[in-house]
Amino acid sequence: MKPMTKSLALIAAASGIVFGVMTPLTASATNDVSAPPLKWTECEGDGLDPRQQCATVEVPMDYADPDGPTIEVAVSRIAGERPSARRGALLLIPGGPGNTSIDDPSGKGQKLPQEVRDAYDLIGFAPRGLAPSTAVGCDLGHADLALSATRPWPAADGSITENLVTAERISNTCARNGGELIKHISSANEARDLDRVRAALGEQKISAWGVSYGTYVGAVYAELFPHRTDRIVLDSNDNPDPVKVQRAWLAAYERGVEDVFPEFAKWASAPGNPDRVAGTPVGVRADFLSLAARLDREPIPWPGANPPVLNGNELRQAMLNALYDTDDFPGLAQLILAARKGTVPPAPPAPPEEALQNAAAVGVGTICNDADWPASADAYRKDVARSRADYPLTAGMPRNAMICAAWPYEQPEAPIRITDRGPSNILLIQNERDVATPLTGALKLRTALGKRAVMVVNDATGHDAYLANGTECGDTTVSRFLATGNRPGRDTYCD
């Protein structure tokens, strides 16, 4: 590990955002409540550690109406393994939005080093709206559950007309079927729920490991409840743009793909690779763009997939999925090689439709309630045209109209502005090449947090840095911080 290189330091300095002051709903005051002790029971589900227990925490549906209707948030726990070393509780904050960490104490939590598992109760949860918490659903049509429907890929000619139709259809369906709860699903309310969880656990302060979208939730928690934070790890970091929020996440795919696709191209052109796509990295890129254009014109039937066809946008979406993890590079290469011959591999397995419906509703609610999205079709058309010209691999999708362009509800509150006010107890861990949360956006969060944070950048490729796709140096640094509180004195770079 070494101090951040000059080039990265210059990027960080150039990425600064000036943030204002905002105190929505006097958030800390609304959560200064007594909480009954949790009633821990055996968890439902297969393959769980027998030590994992589950409980529920009652929270307001609407924090602006704390005496109104309530909902339940499901939580799970594996107690610290050495009581004499116990420091407190470690929240495992999932990505998404639409993901859960309810099983993570039995899963990724067991990858934590022994000294961390000794010191903390590992706490998972299902964010509001996501089963087994009080659940929400939109009852979408099967075709609207496809990623290529919720990711707004333009038509082959760049038209966004169908995307606007899809946005209105899904928004109206969610408004019709999502009930009152879907209006109150947001990152800020998830953070407020987590403080109710903290209180129910009997903890004065709480530590956290937030991943991907969970880094934004973790940052919002640290902004709303800075006096309740202990040691905070933010892993694979979102751009906290105080106006765009989730639009900034979508737009980040432009840069993220350009950061990671060259790594795939090097791998897919390496001599001796049984899934070799082309003889050079330049050839891999050219072949991918050519194949996507051909599939735009001549789709291939793909039985069992959703949609049941491999067209250019399905290939682009498969590329996006594969760039999250280098372990998925072979699957993308095999799809490319098959499609060249006019064939397809077996369709990838899909989660149960009930789970997809639930996750889609939580994702839609969060993304649409967190920030206002432009309603102007012309604005999206212009942005898509520019994006297609500058970033051909993503074909304009990151600047296109998501579902929220037609969201029928008023934004309940302005996005939380992440600032440098609060204790200096945050460690950011970030891979240099990350398709979903690229370094350029992560540096925006680093700048926003100022003196509160230190950042470790890994010379590594993939999403999820700590104990997954990062470096031994980065993993050691995060583990040391969680176990001892020892944090690097300044931003560092792990070769």
Side-chain angles (χ1 to χ4, degrees):
M1 185 167 66
K2 61 186 180 183
M4 188 176 283
T5 61
K6 181 178 179 182
S7 60
L8 284 173
L10 290 173
I11 294 171
S15 300
I17 309 174
V18 178
F19 289 84
V21 178
M22 178 183 151
T23 310
L25 298 182
T26 56
S28 57
T30 64
N31 267 18
D32 286 338
V33 295
S34 59
L38 291 173
K39 298 178 180 178
W40 295 104
T41 62
E42 184 178 351
C43 296
E44 295 183 2
D46 299 326
L48 299 177
D49 190 305
R51 296 172 299 168
Q52 182 172 305
Q53 300 172 301
C54 287
T56 58
V57 178
E58 189 175 46
V59 303
M61 181 186 294
D62 180 0
Y63 279 91
D65 182 18
D67 297 322
T70 61
I71 58 174
E72 290 186 337
V73 172
V75 297
S76 59
R77 175 186 72 173
I78 290 182
E81 296 180 23
R82 190 154 67 93
S84 62
R86 188 181 188 278
R87 180 173 182 85
L90 179 68
L91 280 172
L92 307 175
I93 308 179
N99 292 345
T100 180
S101 64
I102 197 74
D103 293 341
D104 282 358
S106 294
K108 65 183 284 185
Q110 296 307 303
K111 298 180 181 179
L112 290 160
Q114 188 66 52
E115 60 267 28
V116 177
R117 289 184 282 119
D118 285 345
Y120 294 98
D121 297 345
L122 305 181
I123 307 297
F125 69 101
R128 61 167 47 209
L130 198 67
S133 298
T134 303
V136 68
C138 289
D139 195 19
L140 299 176
H142 179 70
D144 284 337
L145 293 172
L147 268 179
S148 54
T150 53
R151 300 288 188 275
W153 294 98
D157 62 357
S159 168
I160 67 167
T161 300
E162 188 60 34
N163 302 117
L164 296 170
V165 171
T166 298
E168 186 166 2
R169 181 178 63 252
I170 293 180
S171 288
N172 289 341
T173 303
C174 285
R176 183 170 61 251
N177 300 325
E180 187 66 20
L181 177 53
I182 203 165
K183 303 176 187 177
H184 303 289
I185 294 175
S186 69
S187 300
N189 281 341
E190 183 175 332
R192 295 178 181 114
D193 291 346
L194 289 180
D195 203 55
R196 293 292 178 110
V197 170
R198 174 204 57 77
L201 291 169
E203 302 290 339
Q204 290 299 308
K205 294 186 176 183
I206 201 157
S207 296
W209 171 20
V211 180
S212 190
Y213 162 72
T215 64
Y216 181 63
V217 174
V220 168
Y221 183 87
E223 186 68 28
L224 295 180
F225 307 101
H227 59 299
R228 298 299 193 189
T229 59
D230 187 12
R231 296 168 184 167
I232 307 296
V233 173
L234 303 181
D235 172 359
S236 305
N237 296 274
D238 265 349
N239 180 347
D241 186 296
V243 176
K244 295 180 178 179
V245 189
Q246 311 293 0
R247 280 194 288 138
W249 154 75
L250 188 70
Y253 279 125
E254 290 175 339
R255 183 69 263 157
V257 167
E258 291 296 340
D259 287 346
V260 179
F261 192 89
E263 299 300 306
F264 169 72
K266 284 191 288 186
W267 173 89
S269 60
N273 183 346
D275 299 314
R276 194 181 194 195
V277 171
T280 65
V282 171
V284 172
R285 183 184 179 100
D287 283 1
F288 179 86
L289 290 170
S290 175
L291 178 60
R294 192 187 93 193
L295 291 171
D296 283 334
R297 300 186 303 270
E298 303 169 8
I300 303 170
W302 201 358
N306 185 19
V309 64
L310 179 62
N311 57 28
N313 283 340
E314 294 306 317
L315 180 68
R316 295 178 185 103
Q317 183 61 55
M319 175 267 295
L320 201 62
N321 297 345
L323 296 189
Y324 275 71
D325 190 323
T326 57
D327 289 344
D328 295 331
F329 284 2
L332 175 59
Q334 290 158 20
L335 179 61
I336 291 170
L337 293 170
R340 276 184 187 168
K341 301 174 184 176
T343 64
V344 290
E353 186 147 323
E354 182 180 5
L356 286 176
Q357 291 281 4
N358 188 201
V362 173
V364 168
T366 305
I367 292 169
C368 298
N369 291 330
D370 266 9
D372 279 330
W373 284 63
S376 167
D378 284 342
Y380 288 116
R381 288 189 184 100
K382 291 176 183 176
D383 277 352
V384 165
R386 284 194 294 266
S387 182
R388 286 169 65 85
D390 295 341
Y391 300 95
L393 287 170
T394 45
M397 181 275 290
R399 300 282 174 175
N400 202 356
M402 275 194 88
I403 300 154
C404 310
W407 195 237
Y409 300 120
E410 292 291 326
Q411 185 187 359
E413 59 180 312
I416 306 300
R417 292 175 177 263
I418 307 304
T419 74
D420 62 357
R421 295 189 303 273
S424 183
N425 60 356
I426 300 173
L427 178 63
L428 279 64
I429 181 76
Q430 177 70 35
N431 285 347
E432 191 169 0
R433 297 169 295 279
D434 182 330
V435 70
T437 54
L439 180 59
T440 48
L443 289 167
K444 302 282 189 183
L445 180 58
R446 170 67 188 91
T447 300
L449 289 168
K451 65 182 184 300
R452 299 187 68 184
V454 170
M455 187 176 199
V456 177
V457 175
N458 290 318
D459 179 12
T461 301
H463 191 55
D464 295 2
Y466 179 48
L467 304 180
N469 294 314
T471 64
E472 183 179 356
C473 157
D475 290 351
T476 299
T477 302
V478 174
S479 297
R480 183 187 305 118
F481 171 62
L482 287 173
T484 70
N486 183 0
R487 192 180 64 169
R490 54 179 174 169
D491 293 349
T492 55
Y493 186 84
C494 283
D495 287 320

